[in-house]
Amino acid sequence: MEQQSRRISPITLFMLCMNGIIGSGWLFAPLYAAKIAGPASIFSWLIGGFAAILVALTFAELSTMLPVSGGTAHIPQLSHGAFASFILSWIAWITTLMLAPIEVQAVLQYASMFFPSLMHEAGGVPTMTLWGYTWAAILMMSLCLVNILSYRGLMRFNFILFVFKFSVILLTIFAILQSRFIAANFSGMLSTTASSHGWQAIFSAVATGGIVLAFNGFKSGVELAGETKNLGLAIPLSTAGTVIACLLLYLGLQVCFIGALDPASLKGGWQNLSFTGDIGPFVGIASVLGLFWLLKLLYVNSVISPLGAGLVYVTATARILYAMSRIGYVPKFLSRLNRQRFPVWAIVVNFVLGMFSFLPLPGWQAMVNFLVSAIVITYAMGPIALMCLRLSLPEKKRPFRLPAAKFVCLLAFYCCNLFSYWTGWETISKLGIVLSAGLLIFTLSLLRGSIKIQKNELKTAFWILPYLTGIISISYLGSFGGHGVIPFGWDFLIIALFSYCIFKMAIGSRVILDSKVVSDFLISESAALEHG
């Protein structure tokens, strides 16, 4: 008999994850990626999409094997113990906490075209005014209320958003392609790949142009696995399946965007690309082409698309905090469920803390650059945990089993480290602040006795120290905003060797699991969701 807590069908989870992926990324990333890499940004999308599919496939096996709510926190706990789990779940929580505010920021940037009082320019970056901050609070609160009040309402609203967003994107692609397509705008695409500078731009666009973030919503399926039916179909469909579907949409958007540009706007170079409606590139293009019916749809979608993604991020982020509370990393009241079986206090706390994220990182792209550097570290746990659990629990039932797992996991881990490196030293250096805050909270939790760590758990988590230190050091010495000690080209080899060593070290220091312990854990988590 299907447990009541498993109430999300495969198609519903697919739509939830699609809504999480299709947020502000499609509204802004084609412009920012083109500014960095020009027409070669097509390659940036292919690279980013391919790597995201690899990572998503590793989480697909993990989440079908360990279907729990807030898998990002629980999976590293099982593979490497409490200390490793805390560090990685802390990073995951902080980054996902900021995703809903990013979507709200995108809404306000669009809305400022009609209501200039919402934003003002500060150092060339669109920044919220006090009035804009007030509206950000209203929108954030609305997303939280939808999550708290009704499960059926949440699912119905999600379905409406999915149909609308998907339809508008397809209409945008076909309408713009039919109205104007200038093949000459793609003339520099292949020549860009002939130089190291060109490839540097392509890789930078992946990390700093919003491309990595544009695929991020697939992790929502990992956080909601504990509430999902038919895992063998639902999880692969909602992780790798959504990434593939969205990659096709993003490629179509990037092609139609580049093809519709007036060649006169490119005379100053791609990096200086600017036109009316720069705050929303497709709005500007539709206006220039006289597609006023599309213009109206895009205005509506500029609010609905990011808010739809924000709604899903509120849902997923609450599950991470819920799981952290269940483990004991944060206070127990955060794992309390309401009658709808939503972690209401986790949602409330995330709302309060999420509002603060608008202050230090004004502007959509500033938020994106910081988040990508941290998000990919949580992605890296997927390939590592998969190989650890393959060795520790070889007989455990896996509704989805990843073929060629050793090769795929190592390649996915390497891609994660490249993404982090490509964000640049200026962004990577800010990670220290997040990690320091996390270690302080962890220490306080140890002192008050809510977390108990055995000596062997420190040993199993030891690989994290050289991993994070290595990522920061290579970025500092590298050619992406660093000091250039490691030249472009050689950095790929160094990161490959570094990735291999850390990968082997992490697998070698895994926790040795007992299958009964895992079974009891899954029963306990299921019961907690069932009865609150």
Side-chain angles (χ1 to χ4, degrees), residues 14 17-19 21-23 25-27 29-30 42 45-46 49 161-174 177 214-215 241-257 282 301 305:
F14 175 79
C17 292
M18 285 289 284
N19 272 340
I21 293 178
I22 303 172
W26 83 269
L27 296 169
I42 301 292
W45 283 104
L46 290 170
L161 290 174
F162 171 78
V163 172
F164 181 81
K165 287 160 64 172
F166 191 76
S167 301
V168 170
I169 290 177
L170 288 179
L171 284 171
T172 299
I173 293 171
F174 289 118
L177 283 174
F215 291 110
T242 53
V243 173
I244 294 169
C246 288
L247 174 59
L248 296 175
L249 291 177
Y250 289 142
L251 286 171
L253 287 165
Q254 190 70 65
V255 168
C256 78
F257 172 73
F282 290 104
N301 195 67
S305 192

Side-chain angles (χ1 to χ4, degrees), residues 187-492:
S187 60
M189 186 168 75
L190 293 178
S191 61
T192 300
T193 63
S195 68
S196 60
H197 178 74
W199 278 110
Q200 213 164 346
I202 291 169
F203 297 137
S204 292
V206 176
T208 64
I211 290 175
V212 171
L213 192 72
F215 291 110
N216 184 62
F218 81 84
K219 279 289 294 294
S220 301
V222 177
E223 313 310 343
L224 294 168
E227 302 165 59
T228 301
K229 306 173 185 176
N230 194 358
L231 294 164
L233 172 63
I235 300 301
L237 183 66
S238 64
T239 52
T242 53
V243 173
I244 294 169
C246 288
L247 174 59
L248 296 175
L249 291 177
Y250 289 142
L251 286 171
L253 287 165
Q254 190 70 65
V255 168
C256 78
F257 172 73
I258 294 172
L261 290 174
D262 184 349
S265 66
L266 303 175
K267 288 183 178 177
W270 286 92
Q271 69 276 12
N272 296 315
L273 179 60
S274 180
F275 52 90
T276 304
D278 187 66
I279 203 167
F282 290 104
V283 168
I285 286 176
S287 178
V288 169
L289 297 178
L291 299 171
F292 298 112
W293 62 270
L294 180 60
L295 200 61
K296 292 176 182 178
L297 273 179
L298 287 170
Y299 285 147
V300 176
N301 195 67
S302 65
V303 173
I304 290 179
S305 192
L307 287 184
L311 184 70
V312 177
Y313 288 138
V314 168
T315 305
T317 309
R319 269 56 179 188
I320 296 176
L321 194 56
Y322 163 85
M324 292 174 72
S325 175
R326 289 276 303 158
I327 298 169
Y329 300 153
V330 291
K332 286 293 182 186
F333 78 91
L334 292 171
S335 59
R336 291 177 190 165
L337 306 178
N338 66 1
R339 290 183 180 179
Q340 299 288 333
R341 297 201 301 279
F342 290 137
V344 59
W345 285 109
I347 293 173
V348 170
V349 169
N350 283 339
F351 162 75
V352 174
L353 296 177
M355 289 305 301
F356 285 102
S357 68
F358 289 109
L359 300 176
L361 294 167
W364 187 85
Q365 197 172 19
M367 282 182 160
V368 166
N369 291 351
F370 172 76
L371 282 182
V372 167
S373 65
I375 283 172
V376 293
I377 290 176
T378 66
Y379 284 0
M381 193 61 223
I384 288 173
L386 173 55
M387 291 312 304
C388 289
L389 295 174
R390 279 276 185 102
L391 293 171
S392 298
L393 300 170
E395 304 303 321
K396 184 79 174 71
K397 182 181 178 182
R398 292 165 169 83
F400 171 79
R401 191 177 183 89
L402 178 64
K406 281 186 180 180
F407 174 75
V408 172
C409 286
L410 182 56
L411 183 58
F413 183 62
Y414 177 52
C415 289
C416 288
N417 296 332
L418 285 175
F419 285 171
S420 186
Y421 174 66
W422 292 339
T423 60
W425 165 244
E426 184 179 348
T427 302
I428 287 288
S429 61
K430 293 184 177 72
L431 269 180
I433 300 171
V434 175
L435 294 173
S436 298
L439 287 172
L440 176 62
I441 290 177
F442 185 76
T443 303
L444 292 174
S445 298
L446 278 176
L447 293 174
R448 67 189 174 127
S450 60
I451 301 177
K452 294 180 180 178
I453 290 198
Q454 305 296 326
K455 285 185 179 180
N456 67 310
E457 288 186 299
L458 291 175
K459 182 181 177 182
T460 57
F462 177 75
W463 64 273
I464 292 180
L465 182 61
Y467 176 50
L468 296 177
T469 303
I471 287 287
I472 293 170
S473 301
I474 293 171
S475 178
Y476 177 79
L477 298 171
S479 56
F480 284 78
H483 287 65
V485 176
I486 304 174
F488 180 76
W490 283 99
D491 46 7
F492 283 78

